[in-house]
Amino acid sequence: RNNPLVISHDGNFIAVGSFKYANQVGAVHTFVRNNNTWAFQQYIAPSVSCMFGHGMAYAEDTETLMVGAPRADVNFTNSGTIFFYHKNGAGTWTLDTQIDGQEIYDYFGGWSTISKDGMTAAWGPNSAVLSTHASRTTSNEVVHVYTNDGTANGGVWTLQQVLSPSTYVDGDGFGKVVELSDDGNTILVTSPDKHVTVSGTEYADLGQAYIFTRSGNTWTELGVIDVPTGNEQQYADLGKNAAFSSDGKYVYLSGKGTDLDGDIHIYEEG
């Protein structure tokens, strides 16, 4: 229910997050392959306990490594932080900037994703826990989308839009998984804890997924993906894990399935 491992398209770079390392301080280990031999590259770690490496993403074109730390307490308890690194001329990963959550239990960086060109990034909380805590003014079950201006030294990240679904009840788990297409213009967001009513029967935690597309600088919900008709099951958790094809044409959603023994559903744009 997190993405603590990323691999480059060419298969020659891997970053592994160990968010429970050292009493949940967290760490990231990077490895590179040369002539079929893997070698350790770098150890990256924060200075405070924050579950660093819980959600990660990698932009191959700009060699940008994005690391989430959802339990960081920079502004508030568990407000979370997103860290952006780039590889310098010496081949060392260097911190460019960090973006901090702005409210208690924002859980920034629970699940993180970035476009192939490194110009668009998005993340969700990956947690429905305490989403309407008494100290919060809004739910944390939203997806933040940021864009980069492409300037030197990692550029400047700016909030483009906060996404929420058209049909929502707090506790749906919206943002459990967030995936961008390679071009950064389509986002898949899952909501595995969503209760869905089908033919008059309510299914607890049946789950749904949402597709958002960008036109210019505006994101719009394109559609909702449901469990196939006849496969409804209490606690099916559709979208507990998910993947997106690089062109955004195919969606892969996993859940507990009709027999609660696990299913993978594949959807095609049509």
Side-chain angles (χ1 to χ4, degrees):
R1 291 182 290 178
N2 48 70
N3 55 335
L5 183 146
V6 293
I7 184 168
S8 61
H9 282 73
D10 63 10
N12 291 322
F13 169 77
I14 291 177
V16 182
S18 303
F19 59 87
K20 292 186 178 181
Y21 177 76
N23 197 28
Q24 299 194 357
V25 171
V28 171
H29 298 78
T30 65
F31 301 84
V32 293
R33 180 169 60 178
N34 186 22
N35 296 326
N36 295 320
T37 300
W38 285 98
F40 171 71
Q41 182 188 46
Q42 190 172 338
Y43 167 80
I44 308 170
S47 59
V48 296
S49 179
C50 58
M51 296 187 74
F52 183 82
H54 190 282
M56 299 196 304
Y58 174 64
E60 194 160 349
D61 292 356
T62 54
E63 291 195 299
T64 301
L65 183 63
M66 179 181 176
V67 182
R71 295 299 179 96
D73 298 333
V74 176
N75 289 320
F76 301 94
T77 301
N78 295 164
S79 53
T81 294
I82 294 285
F83 297 89
F84 290 93
Y85 296 81
H86 81 278
K87 193 159 58 175
N88 62 23
T92 300
W93 290 101
T94 303
L95 179 64
D96 288 323
T97 189
Q98 67 183 63
I99 301 175
D100 303 316
Q102 297 300 309
E103 196 170 353
I104 188 171
Y105 302 116
D106 266 344
Y107 293 123
F108 263 31
W111 192 288
S112 308
T113 182
I114 193 168
S115 59
K116 187 171 180 288
D117 63 5
M119 296 294 104
T120 302
W123 55 86
N126 194 248
S127 176
V129 178
L130 297 173
S131 55
T132 52
H133 188 273
S135 299
R136 289 189 58 88
T137 58
T138 60
S139 171
N140 71 349
E141 294 182 53
V142 296
V143 170
H144 292 79
V145 183
Y146 277 71
T147 56
N148 192 288
D149 64 5
T151 54
N153 299 317
V156 176
W157 290 95
T158 303
L159 177 65
Q160 184 172 64
Q161 194 168 328
V162 177
L163 307 181
S164 56
S166 55
T167 57
Y168 173 77
V169 176
D170 197 61
D172 282 349
F174 181 79
K176 184 76 74 174
V177 178
V178 185
E179 292 287 352
L180 272 164
S181 58
D182 272 5
D183 64 9
N185 289 319
T186 308
I187 292 181
L188 164 70
V189 184
T190 73
S191 187
D193 303 323
K194 185 173 181 61
H195 293 213
V196 180
T197 299
V198 179
S199 300
T201 300
E202 181 179 84
Y203 295 89
D205 294 0
L206 181 61
Q208 285 182 332
Y210 301 81
I211 301 293
F212 295 83
T213 57
R214 178 170 58 185
S215 177
N217 294 316
T218 302
W219 289 92
T220 304
E221 185 183 306
L222 179 66
V224 179
I225 299 175
D226 290 297
V227 170
T229 301
N231 287 269
E232 296 86 0
Q233 171 71 41
Q234 302 288 346
Y235 307 105
D237 292 337
L238 182 73
K240 202 74 169 182
N241 277 296
F244 217 3
S245 63
S246 59
D247 60 5
K249 303 295 184 182
Y250 292 89
V251 172
Y252 310 87
L253 300 174
S254 71
K256 294 178 180 177
T258 53
D259 298 319
L260 302 182
D261 56 359
D263 279 346
I264 295 178
H265 299 274
I266 302 174
Y267 301 82
E268 180 181 9
E269 181 185 52

